[in-house]
Amino acid sequence: MKYRRSGRLVDMTEYLLRHPHQSVSLTFFSEKYNSAKSSISEDIGIIKEVFEQKGIGRLATSAGVSGGVIFVPTIDDKEALDTVHSICEQLKDPSRLLPGGYLYMMDIIGDPERMQLMGRIFASYFKDAQVDVVMTMATKGIPLAYAVASHLNVPVSIVRHEQRVTEGSIVSINYVSGSSQRIQTMSLSKRSLQSGARVLIIDDFMKAGGTIRGMMDLSEEFQATVVGAGVLMEAMHDKEKLVDNYVSLTKLFGVDAKDKKIHVEKGNMFP
Amino acid sequence: MKYRRSGRLVDMTEYLLRHPHQSVSLTFFSEKYNSAKSSISEDIGIIKEVFEQKGIGRLATSAGVSGGVIFVPTIDDKEALDTVHSICEQLKDPSRLLPGGYLYMMDIIGDPERMQLMGRIFASYFKDAQVDVVMTMATKGIPLAYAVASHLNVPVSIVRHEQRVTEGSIVSINYVSGSSQRIQTMSLSKRSLQSGARVLIIDDFMKAGGTIRGMMDLSEEFQATVVGAGVLMEAMHDKEKLVDNYVSLTKLFGVDAKDKKIHVEKGNMFP
């Protein structure tokens, strides 16, 4: 069956969006649509123009017989900033104040569309970091980690506090939670991280950075390289953080339980 | 700025894929592209034809002044069955056998592309169930739950064994784990489930069904209605299951630790 250009454009757009960071050969599309490579090349040119103009992503093309295309997801600067601003506004809602100065955030973490947007922001930021795997800490970091990983086309490694019989051999380390100064244990299944892998650490919240520091040390046990870290929210506090190399989407400056004020602003990713 | 049809098709395809189960008015597209509604209607017709032919989804259109379109994700029957067959093949790998007859599954659960495919399978199956929220049990059900929820455009409620200070008021119930007969506790934040909500339960693994039975009872505490349940794997065993109304992607018939054989087949979703 032969496809007309309009049908090809719809189907190719869908295919590329579902296969980020993967090289797709012109031959593949040419056979899929029973169309000449020259027509496929023109289609890709049209998609590329729209994707780049709208900030949807980059289409990196390579020429020649083995020529192909790779879709690299990005996000429009304005859309990224709008997303973060709207999260900040939502976070200022005093009804999310909990006893002990904690903030209820499950409505934001529980929203898959929001998570996908934040995932795109991080995937765009780390698009050239050659990430092999996204690492996160159970439980609340998991949704954001998957959103980032799905846009980078890499697997997720889930670090846990407790050990599970369903994980096989594990590597455990002790670490010091930076804010409470308590010694805790974190574990990762031996099979879930390859030696030499390039790791991107993603988590929902960072205070002193003890957990992320722990994941960095754990990665070292696997001879893996941490290429960066990203958090949905960092809490600003007086002491020096235990990690330098991280980006945050939002900054929590403080919570005033008496006046019911939550002071939150965009994170260090946005200058 | 005026868009040509080819550019509109690419951008509308991307927009619809990112906004499943949401009504988008023709006026919205017409203003977005500075194009006549008649042209937008034709574009939608082209996208609809490709989406339906490829099993990507349904485009439900409504006519008239307030006319619009809703993208309902589906998956091609063959793609769904191929996905499940390939998971079964992967699961048969004897190297995933762990002491005690457990199976290592984190490589499958850790693969976001696989999760997205399985999410589409469940979202397609439950597309007309008017799901308001996807419920899952921490930790391993979370990735699949988000994949399903993102295709249904609904939030996720995460039930936990332990209580967290960051959840606010919670509702807890005791339940009996069907396979071990142990009494356990599960909790859900009061804010994370509305009274009257239609709940779809998603989990990675079901044996006797005690955990899912517990989530059904917990939903009742919130005056919510469970519209169905879906699991990545169900373990076949002699006793009667504690739930009837569920679908599974795969069935685990047994594990032979001595001969290193894992007997797994497609689940009850596929007749």
Side-chain angles (χ1 to χ4, degrees):
Chain A
M1 171 180 177
K2 212 162 165 82
Y3 279 77
R4 292 184 52 203
R5 162 145 299 148
S6 53
R8 282 199 312 259
L9 286 173
V10 171
D11 199 59
M12 283 170 79
T13 299
E14 194 265 351
Y15 189 89
L16 289 167
L17 288 171
R18 284 214 212 275
H19 296 85
H21 284 275
Q22 288 175 55
S23 180
V24 188
S25 71
L26 293 189
T27 310
F28 172 81
F29 282 132
S30 163
E31 288 172 0
K32 189 168 158 72
Y33 305 122
N34 192 17
S35 304
K37 279 192 190 175
S38 55
S39 309
I40 299 293
S41 267
E42 284 170 34
D43 298 341
I44 287 172
I46 293 167
I47 298 171
K48 184 183 169 79
E49 203 185 317
V50 176
F51 275 22
E52 289 179 357
Q53 191 193 321
K54 296 277 185 168
I56 296 166
R58 233 169 34 195
L59 278 194
T61 49
S62 55
V65 184
S66 63
V69 58
I70 298 178
F71 165 55
V72 177
T74 61
I75 188 164
D76 177 67
D77 288 345
K78 189 178 170 300
E79 195 177 359
L81 208 52
D82 285 352
T83 301
V84 167
H85 278 148
S86 103
I87 292 165
C88 288
E89 283 313 303
Q90 230 185 315
L91 284 169
K92 285 177 184 162
D93 175 1
S95 77
R96 61 178 70 246
L97 264 173
L98 299 173
Y102 290 99
L103 287 187
Y104 182 78
M105 283 177 65
M106 274 314 293
D107 55 334
I108 291 170
I109 290 173
D111 177 350
E113 193 178 336
R114 269 278 167 70
M115 284 295 126
Q116 287 297 317
L117 275 167
M118 291 192 246
R120 267 176 77 194
I121 296 176
F122 281 119
S124 178
Y125 188 88
F126 289 107
K127 63 182 180 298
D128 299 316
Q130 295 171 275
V131 175
D132 292 317
V133 59
V134 169
M135 178 184 282
T136 192
M137 187 83 193
T139 320
K140 290 212 298 238
I142 298 176
L144 184 57
Y146 273 80
V148 177
S150 72
H151 287 104
L152 288 175
N153 184 39
V154 298
V156 179
S157 279
I158 301 175
V159 178
R160 296 168 192 276
H161 282 297
E162 76 277 28
Q163 302 179 9
R164 292 288 181 89
V165 286
T166 51
E167 304 254 299
S169 318
I170 56 162
V171 174
S172 290
I173 62 160
N174 291 320
Y175 71 103
V176 179
S177 160
S179 33
S180 69
Q181 291 287 327
R182 273 197 307 150
I183 291 200
Q184 295 187 278
T185 305
M186 59 167 74
S187 310
L188 181 63
S189 166
K190 259 193 155 171
R191 306 191 192 193
S192 86
L193 185 59
Q194 304 294 314
S195 151
R198 294 172 62 85
V199 177
L200 172 60
I201 295 172
I202 294 288
D203 211 350
D204 61 321
F205 187 78
M206 174 171 93
K207 198 167 177 184
T211 307
I212 289 181
R213 181 74 258 164
M215 285 193 265
M216 287 173 169
D217 295 344
L218 187 59
S219 299
E220 220 165 83
E221 292 290 327
F222 283 83
Q223 278 90 48
T225 307
V226 175
V227 297
V231 294
L232 167 45
M233 180 185 266
E234 62 167 315
M236 308 309 285
H237 72 158
D238 302 336
K239 292 197 199 132
E240 211 187 330
K241 290 225 189 320
L242 298 167
V243 286
D244 311 306
N245 180 21
Y246 70 92
V247 282
S248 63
L249 293 185
T250 62
K251 282 180 185 173
L252 179 67
F253 285 90
V255 166
D256 185 337
K258 205 175 133 224
D259 293 340
K260 302 231 168 216
K261 287 256 188 252
I262 299 160
H263 184 183
V264 55
E265 285 179 20
K266 65 180 192 223
N268 73 3
M269 191 191 272
F270 308 94
Chain B
M1 175 183 170
K2 213 162 163 77
Y3 278 77
R4 292 183 52 201
R5 161 144 298 146
S6 53
R8 284 200 310 261
L9 286 172
V10 171
D11 198 59
M12 284 170 78
T13 299
E14 194 265 351
Y15 189 90
L16 290 166
L17 288 171
R18 286 216 208 275
H19 296 86
H21 284 275
Q22 288 174 58
S23 179
V24 188
S25 71
L26 293 189
T27 311
F28 171 81
F29 282 133
S30 162
E31 287 172 0
K32 191 168 155 75
Y33 305 122
N34 193 17
S35 305
K37 280 193 191 175
S38 55
S39 310
I40 299 293
S41 267
E42 285 171 32
D43 298 340
I44 287 172
I46 293 167
I47 298 173
K48 185 182 168 78
E49 202 186 316
V50 176
F51 275 22
E52 289 179 358
Q53 191 193 319
K54 295 278 185 166
I56 295 166
R58 233 167 34 193
L59 278 194
T61 49
S62 56
V65 184
S66 62
V69 58
I70 297 178
F71 164 54
V72 177
T74 61
I75 189 165
D76 178 68
D77 288 345
K78 188 177 172 300
E79 196 176 359
L81 207 53
D82 284 352
T83 301
V84 167
H85 278 148
S86 103
I87 292 166
C88 288
E89 281 314 302
Q90 232 184 316
L91 284 168
K92 286 177 184 161
D93 175 0
S95 77
R96 58 178 73 246
L97 263 174
L98 299 174
Y102 291 98
L103 286 187
Y104 181 78
M105 284 177 64
M106 274 312 296
D107 55 334
I108 291 170
I109 291 174
D111 177 350
E113 193 178 336
R114 270 278 165 71
M115 285 294 126
Q116 287 297 318
L117 276 167
M118 291 190 244
R120 268 176 75 194
I121 296 175
F122 281 118
S124 178
Y125 188 87
F126 289 106
K127 64 183 179 299
D128 299 317
Q130 295 172 276
V131 176
D132 292 316
V133 57
V134 169
M135 178 185 281
T136 191
M137 187 81 191
T139 313
K140 290 211 297 240
I142 298 177
L144 184 56
Y146 272 80
V148 177
S150 72
H151 287 105
L152 289 174
N153 184 38
V154 298
V156 179
S157 279
I158 301 175
V159 178
R160 294 166 194 278
H161 281 296
E162 77 278 26
Q163 302 177 9
R164 292 288 180 91
V165 287
T166 52
E167 304 254 298
S169 317
I170 56 162
V171 175
S172 289
I173 62 160
N174 291 320
Y175 71 103
V176 179
S177 158
S179 33
S180 69
Q181 291 288 326
R182 271 197 308 149
I183 292 199
Q184 295 187 277
T185 306
M186 59 167 76
S187 312
L188 182 62
S189 166
K190 259 194 155 171
R191 309 191 191 193
S192 86
L193 186 58
Q194 304 294 313
S195 152
R198 294 173 62 85
V199 177
L200 172 61
I201 295 172
I202 294 289
D203 212 349
D204 62 320
F205 187 78
M206 174 170 95
K207 198 167 177 182
T211 306
I212 288 180
R213 182 75 258 164
M215 285 193 264
M216 288 174 168
D217 295 344
L218 187 59
S219 299
E220 220 165 83
E221 292 290 327
F222 284 82
Q223 278 90 48
T225 306
V226 174
V227 298
V231 295
L232 167 46
M233 179 183 266
E234 62 168 315
M236 308 308 286
H237 71 158
D238 301 337
K239 293 200 197 128
E240 210 186 333
K241 289 224 187 324
L242 298 167
V243 286
D244 309 308
N245 181 20
Y246 70 91
V247 282
S248 62
L249 292 186
T250 62
K251 282 181 184 173
L252 179 66
F253 285 90
V255 165
D256 185 338
K258 204 175 133 221
D259 292 343
K260 304 232 166 212
K261 286 255 189 253
I262 299 160
H263 183 185
V264 55
E265 286 180 20
K266 65 182 190 219
N268 73 2
M269 191 191 273
F270 308 93

